[in-house]
Amino acid sequence: MAEQAPLRAGRREWLGLAVLALPTLLLALTMTSLNLAIPHLSADLNPSSTQLLWIIDIYGFLIAGTLITMGSLGDRFGRRRLLLIGSVFFAAASVVGAFSTSPGMLIVMRAVLGLSGATLMPSTLSLLSTMFRDKTQHAFAISLWMSVFMGGTAVGPLAGGALLEHFWWGSVFLMGAPVMVLLVVTGPFLLPESTTSDTGRIDLVSVGLSLAGILSTVYGLKQVAEHGFGAAPVAFMVAGVLICAVFLRRQGRLERPLLDLSIFRERAYTVPVAAVTIAMIMNGGISFFMMQYLQTVRDLSPLQAGLCTLPPTVVSMAGSMLAPKLTRNMRPGFVLGPSFLLTAVGFLVIAMVDTDTSVFLVVAGSVVMAVGFGPAMALSTALALGSIAPEKSGAASATSETSTELGMSLGIAFLGSLGMFVYRDQIRELAPSGLPQASLEKAADTIGAAFTEADRLPGQFGDGLLSAASRAFVTGLRVDAIVGAVGMACVATAVTYLLRKVPPLAADSENSAEATPERPAAELRTQSSVGGPE
């Protein structure tokens, strides 16, 4: 029997939100804990360098490449159904992956984790749009959902480190199994099923084009980040962009496309998604350098460097929860603009660091960035998805998540490459005279290689190379921070202007309540098998 969700969410919807937070927490834990296990699984499974790269990368590749397809599948066949199926496969792959006996077996399980993980984010976001129809409640639900993700990114390294101190490397994979079991058990009772009517058969050609285009682009970007610009990475990126262009052209011609391009005509969707993409580019580039700075130039342990990320994470979580209150009676553009501008100020603080700067300055700059970044991310996501009709929420949320993934990859590739270009130029200029050319070339590869080479060199050459590498790397970090500050200032100006006429969420909710007291049943079918009290 069809059941219309109330305009104002009740107890069932809020309990459902707690259930939807589970896969979000799991994805954050999975993303942040694997790197700690790499040395341990390398010693146990003895993978080749190529196999190790695939173990690390295939998960993110398949998530980015299949998000749009999974969002469309959820719209057609049921968002709750897709979420629960994906959760079962994720739990099974986590358990099997934990007991892998060969690199090939682990690569396959990581691929299954990527494919099943791609079902989780668009399903949870689109279900939130179905469950929370009131704009202010929807914004609060998105903020809480995002806070859980941010908390997971902070807890992941700490939980993973604790497990690895007492158990084998597979224990970090097993963190996901209990979470998914709880989701599968409670989901059918607390989450409504929702599908979009009259969507037709899925276009397999579009599926192939979206997968090939995004995978090719992401692979090229990752190769640029690891090896710099070359013929092969550029070819992959160009091919990816061309395939994506063919995909978009096909979507415009299909009667029932995989991705409905009409969502991009809504400014309240397109502007926040574009702003978040640029913000992720800037954030990805600076994060890539900051963690290396803390562990090399400042000589912190991985645990100490991880602890430095806790204050900005906590502040970002608090800020994201504050965003809905700020926009109840203020236009979103006038909240997003200052938030992105605060992030730019944080970048400028990071630009002040030096080789002997106190770590507290780095943490302070990160906290200032987080004060703006948390509310901006939460509000942008809530505003974008709240502007799209629920029947299109799966594709809209998948596109939003894909832009975030691409933004992070672009940031690491382009800003990472810019910073490394500055580093290589500066280390050649600052290196001590008389340093062997072979040592200089090794040191110019990465700062880690420079520190390793310095340990091998005698006295003054080793000390001189350490000093040159540290100063060169800090220069690269400063350049990235300045570029980030300029980029975020431009974003702040653009969103303030482009969203200046978007009404406050409270006013939008009141208008929605008056104009659309219930959703058209012909367009959206919300079926529920939820039990328990209303």
Side-chain angles (χ1 to χ4, degrees):
M1 179 179 176
E3 178 185 71
Q4 298 294 335
L7 182 62
R8 295 285 296 178
R11 181 173 61 178
R12 178 188 294 173
E13 285 76 25
W14 293 112
L15 289 173
L17 173 61
V19 173
L20 290 177
L22 294 175
T24 305
L25 175 64
L26 175 62
L27 284 176
L29 293 174
T30 303
M31 287 170 56
T32 54
S33 60
L34 176 68
N35 288 341
L36 295 174
I38 292 298
H40 304 270
L41 69 86
S42 296
D44 187 19
L45 300 180
N46 193 29
S48 67
S49 58
T50 301
Q51 288 174 323
L52 186 60
L53 284 175
W54 278 112
I55 289 171
I56 297 170
D57 292 340
I58 196 167
Y59 174 79
F61 283 169
L62 288 178
I63 281 188
T66 57
L67 274 170
I68 291 176
T69 298
M70 294 304 181
S72 183
L73 281 174
D75 286 344
R76 285 167 163 80
F77 303 120
R79 291 139 188 157
R80 184 184 69 181
R81 183 180 294 116
L82 184 67
L83 175 65
L84 296 179
I85 291 173
S87 299
V88 170
F89 277 95
F90 199 102
S94 296
V95 173
V96 176
F99 296 96
S100 293
T101 56
S102 68
M105 181 179 177
L106 184 55
I107 290 170
V108 171
M109 288 304 102
R110 287 280 291 169
V112 176
L113 285 171
L115 288 170
S116 53
T119 69
L120 304 181
M121 296 297 258
S123 296
T124 53
L125 282 171
S126 54
L127 282 170
L128 286 177
S129 296
T130 299
M131 294 159 58
F132 296 92
R133 299 174 58 205
D134 178 80
K135 291 296 180 71
T136 53
Q137 287 189 327
H138 180 254
F140 181 81
I142 292 289
S143 297
L144 188 59
W145 174 87
M146 188 159 288
S147 294
V148 171
F149 181 81
M150 293 174 181
T153 60
V155 171
L158 302 180
L163 286 172
L164 290 170
E165 283 191 9
H166 299 93
F167 305 101
W168 89 115
W169 60 265
S171 60
V172 300
F173 286 84
L174 293 179
M175 285 192 295
V179 175
M180 285 311 187
V181 169
L182 184 59
L183 171 63
V184 171
V185 170
T186 59
F189 299 97
L190 293 172
L191 301 176
E193 180 60 286
S194 66
T195 59
T196 302
S197 62
D198 193 32
T199 53
R201 297 177 60 183
I202 195 164
D203 181 47
L204 295 180
V205 175
S206 295
V207 172
L209 287 172
S210 68
L211 182 64
I214 294 172
L215 284 182
S216 181
T217 303
V218 172
Y219 180 76
L221 290 170
K222 197 159 187 65
Q223 290 298 301
V224 169
E226 293 175 359
H227 307 295
F229 284 95
V234 171
F236 272 106
M237 287 190 294
V238 171
V241 170
L242 291 175
I243 295 171
C244 287
V246 174
F247 167 77
L248 293 174
R249 184 176 178 82
R250 182 175 180 83
Q251 302 316 292
R253 293 179 171 181
L254 290 175
E255 183 180 352
R256 296 183 179 91
L258 185 70
L259 175 62
D260 190 344
L261 300 183
S262 66
I263 62 175
F264 297 107
R265 299 190 191 114
E266 179 60 55
R267 180 177 290 190
Y269 177 83
T270 305
V271 172
V273 168
V276 166
T277 303
I278 297 173
M280 294 306 296
I281 291 173
M282 303 305 165
N283 188 62
I286 200 70
S287 297
F288 176 75
F289 262 71
M290 278 178 56
M291 292 306 293
Q292 292 185 78
Y293 168 82
L294 292 172
Q295 294 182 66
T296 55
V297 178
R298 302 303 300 150
D299 197 27
L300 300 185
S301 69
L303 178 59
Q304 290 172 323
L307 289 173
C308 288
T309 66
L310 285 180
T313 300
V314 172
V315 169
S316 190
M317 291 171 63
S320 67
M321 296 304 299
L322 182 64
K325 295 185 181 297
L326 294 175
T327 53
R328 273 193 66 85
N329 299 302
M330 291 179 63
R331 293 182 182 273
F334 298 149
V335 176
L336 281 174
S339 296
F340 283 123
L341 195 58
L342 263 176
T343 306
V345 173
F347 275 100
L348 290 177
V349 174
I350 298 297
M352 297 167 59
V353 302
D354 208 335
T355 55
D356 57 353
T357 299
S358 170
V359 172
F360 289 108
L361 181 64
V362 179
V363 174
S366 300
V367 166
V368 175
M369 288 171 60
V371 171
F373 199 69
M377 290 293 291
L379 179 57
S380 294
T381 303
L383 181 62
L385 297 184
S387 67
I388 299 300
E391 62 268 22
K392 299 178 183 178
S393 59
S397 58
T399 304
S400 174
E401 287 300 314
T402 301
S403 70
T404 300
E405 293 283 339
L406 288 176
M408 184 64 75
S409 297
L410 281 166
I412 295 173
F414 289 109
L415 285 184
S417 297
L418 173 63
M420 288 307 298
F421 174 81
V422 174
Y423 166 76
R424 294 184 181 108
D425 178 70
Q426 288 292 298
I427 197 171
R428 289 188 171 93
E429 183 177 320
L430 298 171
S433 59
L435 182 72
Q437 186 64 28
S439 296
L440 179 57
E441 291 305 317
K442 290 180 182 178
D445 190 26
T446 65
I447 190 171
F451 275 52
T452 300
E453 189 65 19
D455 289 338
R456 296 176 56 254
L457 294 172
Q460 63 180 18
F461 284 123
D463 293 340
L465 183 58
L466 276 178
S467 175
S470 297
R471 290 160 60 194
F473 194 81
V474 166
T475 303
L477 173 61
R478 286 173 173 171
V479 169
D480 271 2
I482 292 170
V483 171
V486 173
M488 296 313 300
C490 291
V491 169
T493 304
V495 297
T496 302
Y497 176 76
L498 294 173
L499 299 178
R500 67 192 185 283
K501 294 182 180 180
V502 176
L505 294 182
D508 206 11
S509 296
E510 292 167 5
N511 293 338
S512 297
E514 294 172 4
T516 56
E518 59 183 25
R519 285 170 294 182
E523 294 182 9
L524 176 65
R525 181 174 73 254
T526 302
Q527 301 169 332
S528 177
S529 57
V530 180
E534 290 293 339

